Amino acid sequence: MNLLAIETATDLVGAAFVADPARPGHPAAAVQSEPGGRRHAEALAPAVEAVCARTGHTVRDVDVVAVDNGPGLFTGLRVGVATAKAFGQALGIGVVAVSSLDVLAAAALERWEGTRPVTVVAVVDARRGEVFTAAYRDGGAGDADPADLVVAPTDRFDPAALVAGVERLAAEVAGGPVVVVGDGAARYRDLLDGIAGVVPDLLDGEGALVAPPPDVLAALARARLARGEQPAPAATVVPDYRREADARINWVERRPPER
Amino acid sequence: MPGVDVQRVLGIETSCDETAAAVVDGGTTIVSSVVSSQVDLHARYGGVVPELAGRAHVELLTPVLADALAAAGSDASGRGIDAVAVTYGPGLMGSLLVGVAEAKALSMAWGVPFVGVNHLEAHLFASLLEQPDLGWPLVVLLVSGGHTLLVEVTAPGTYRLLGGTIDDAAGEAFDKVARFLGLGYPGGPAIDRVAEDGDPAAFAFPRSLLGKGYDFSFSGLKTAVVNEVRKHPEARTEDVAASFRRAVVDVLVSKARAAAADVGARAICLAGGVAANSLLRSEIVAACEADGIGAFVPSRALCTDNAAMVAAAGWWRLANSGASPLTLGADPNLELVPTHSPDLS
Ligand SMILES: [Zn+2]
């Protein structure tokens, strides 16, 4: 089953293709991403085309689409979800929507594979002084989906509440590190750095985990399909905004006269 | 860039608060056209809320597209569709992106060309859908919630911008005054309705920039309405609405008429949502009759935002300047290029 993964929940725009089975003379998987710049609408379609081509395929060979449906950047999510829905509709295939925080957690758990127990706090920048976050703890029972390891479900916080939550998690942990990842953690790194037990070492340099990696999104979606999760029909997939729409228009309010 | 000859084009429009898809044959024949208006969603705010619009487009585009394809005898596989055209600007960024992403994905999935269309150019093509043999040159008065433009069109795709608004768009003025008068949203139809029972001479509202070139200004008029009503709280809403509508239409018609005489236009053509205004429609027809030139007033469905005009403009763009690259983004401030020829794209 050929899977195309679409990642646009943060500044990073990316796609991954996992061919199953691989075409002779081509790699089984390809990933392409462009960090920063918020060029979601510009960069996504070329990235999709590139990862398909590198594995010897075209978009028409895709059997299932995985998309990061947030939480994250509203405009980015709309580009990714609209693209995934269009592929789903036009190709008559299903869509697997995956949480950005679950993807970040899966990537962090992979990096910390040799260390258990480990607690992961995935933090996506919600802008306007807030973050979207969820916490996961892997005690080492085996290959687990981040969704099964949640110790603090997805919510929206201000940075002070994030720090309080991370401190509480760190205090609870018996001997394992608390790994904070995501662009929200990077943004508020100064606040998180000094907390005992907290490891923010995946937030910069080579291999930084600030954006959900498209290849991890693809792997997580494949694992969920293998466990029996059914892809959703394209029409039902929507971004997970986790914030009410800012219902303001830029006009000066004028009270109608008493009449 | 080489032209691309295609027959059937799917158009997609998501620049503001209408989610629309349409199939047009040969650039002129509407095969299907579906518009899902979000008016009810925005009505309580008295205007279009960008974030709400963007969210609604994501949800509405799948069913709207399915309906437009089915009505054209096709289906989600894109059978019989030769190209995909989409509005990529101007408009609301968060809304434009949805259509652009969708259009690119469809073109990749169906293996057909993709072309980005300027929303303003699409409005200019709307009239060709009902009257393919319009004579040139034409003066188009494009009036909507976001735009007020006078454009000389010398041939399809070749135009010269004569004037525009220096502050509020005409439709915006209707919305703001309707909101002030407590008439609801959208303002154009609301004011049109009550104005029918009012006296257009009850108030002498200003006709800004009248006789001074082809630019427009409606902000002063709106302020005058507010001041007048505060001064005369007993004034009938019908009279205020009628006098206001009269002032807007006077300016629009007078400038369009002068522009037509200036460039030797064979006809004046209306476009945009405000072109659905009944007084504007009747006045432009009367003015053109008096001046011995043609008047073209498209049906209301083609005046307001729709995807058929996008497909028509896309068909022309494909034939004249070829497909757009997959790297095309959305441009909320896209302008009508003064003289648009294939070389300039
Ligand atoms: Zn328009």
Side-chain angles (χ1 to χ4, degrees), chain B residues 231-244:
Chain B
K231 232 187 293 168
H232 306 282
E234 76 290 351
R236 289 178 68 230
T237 300
E238 291 81 357
D239 292 342
V240 177
S243 302
F244 164 74

Side-chain angles (χ1 to χ4, degrees), chain A residues 41 78 89 243 249 251 259, chain B residues 46 51 55 62 104 235 237:
Chain A
R78 278 198 273 276
Q89 187 176 15
R243 182 189 265 149
I249 51 174
W251 298 346
R259 41 196 312 133
Chain B
E51 180 58 25
R55 292 184 181 197
T62 314
K104 286 184 190 177
T237 300

Side-chain angles (χ1 to χ4, degrees), chain B residues 26-329:
Chain B
T28 50
T29 308
I30 301 176
V31 185
S32 71
S33 181
V34 177
V35 180
S36 174
S37 173
Q38 304 173 8
V39 160
D40 296 345
L41 181 65
H42 303 284
R44 54 183 287 229
Y45 305 101
V48 177
V49 180
E51 180 58 25
L52 286 178
R55 292 184 181 197
H57 286 305
V58 175
E59 295 185 27
L60 292 170
L61 202 41
T62 314
V64 165
L65 187 63
D67 286 356
L69 289 168
S74 182
D75 57 27
S77 73
R79 190 161 30 86
I81 305 295
D82 301 318
V84 181
V86 63
T87 297
Y88 75 103
L92 301 168
M93 188 60 166
S95 291
L96 290 166
L97 288 172
V98 177
V100 170
E102 180 96 12
K104 286 184 190 177
L106 292 177
S107 90
M108 292 164 81
W110 293 342
V112 299
F114 146 82
V115 65
V117 167
N118 182 318
H119 180 81
L120 303 174
E121 180 173 300
H123 270 301
L124 302 185
F125 272 85
S127 42
L128 288 173
L129 286 164
E130 285 180 332
Q131 196 149 321
D133 52 352
L134 284 171
W136 317 104
L138 262 182
V139 161
V140 179
L141 174 63
L142 168 49
V143 272
S144 70
H147 304 280
T148 306
L149 297 176
L150 259 179
V151 183
E152 178 194 6
V153 184
T154 47
T158 310
Y159 21 77
R160 184 160 66 101
L161 197 58
L162 299 173
T165 183
I166 58 170
D167 40 57
D168 290 355
E172 200 179 344
F174 272 102
D175 285 343
K176 288 178 174 176
V177 168
R179 182 179 159 108
F180 172 72
L181 295 175
L183 296 175
Y185 172 85
I191 285 184
D192 224 15
R193 234 173 358 253
V194 298
E196 292 300 324
D197 302 320
D199 174 9
F203 296 93
F205 290 132
R207 270 74 170 158
S208 302
L209 304 181
L210 196 65
K212 295 180 191 138
Y214 299 129
D215 281 339
F216 299 88
S217 164
F218 293 107
S219 161
L221 171 58
K222 175 199 65 199
T223 309
V225 170
V226 172
N227 291 340
E228 205 63 31
V229 169
R230 287 194 174 143
K231 232 187 293 168
H232 306 282
E234 76 290 351
R236 289 178 68 230
T237 300
E238 291 81 357
D239 292 342
V240 177
S243 302
F244 164 74
R245 182 178 70 161
R246 184 82 237 181
V248 174
V249 170
D250 276 356
V251 173
L252 293 175
V253 171
S254 146
K255 294 207 180 223
R257 199 173 184 176
D262 226 20
V263 305
R266 292 178 54 190
I268 294 176
C269 179
L270 290 184
V274 177
N277 185 281
S278 56
L279 183 66
L280 177 58
R281 294 166 82 89
S282 60
E283 289 294 297
I284 213 85
V285 169
C288 289
E289 228 159 66
D291 294 348
I293 58 171
F296 191 66
V297 181
S299 62
R300 284 180 163 82
L302 281 176
C303 290
T304 49
D305 286 353
N306 64 87
M309 66 184 196
V310 176
W315 179 87
W316 186 88
R317 286 287 243 127
L318 279 166
N320 287 277
S321 47
S324 299
L326 285 178
T327 50
L328 185 78

Side-chain angles (χ1 to χ4, degrees), chain A residues 14-34:
Chain A
F17 192 101
V18 182
D20 190 15
R23 289 241 159 112
H26 292 281
V31 58
Q32 175 164 319
S33 60
E34 184 179 304

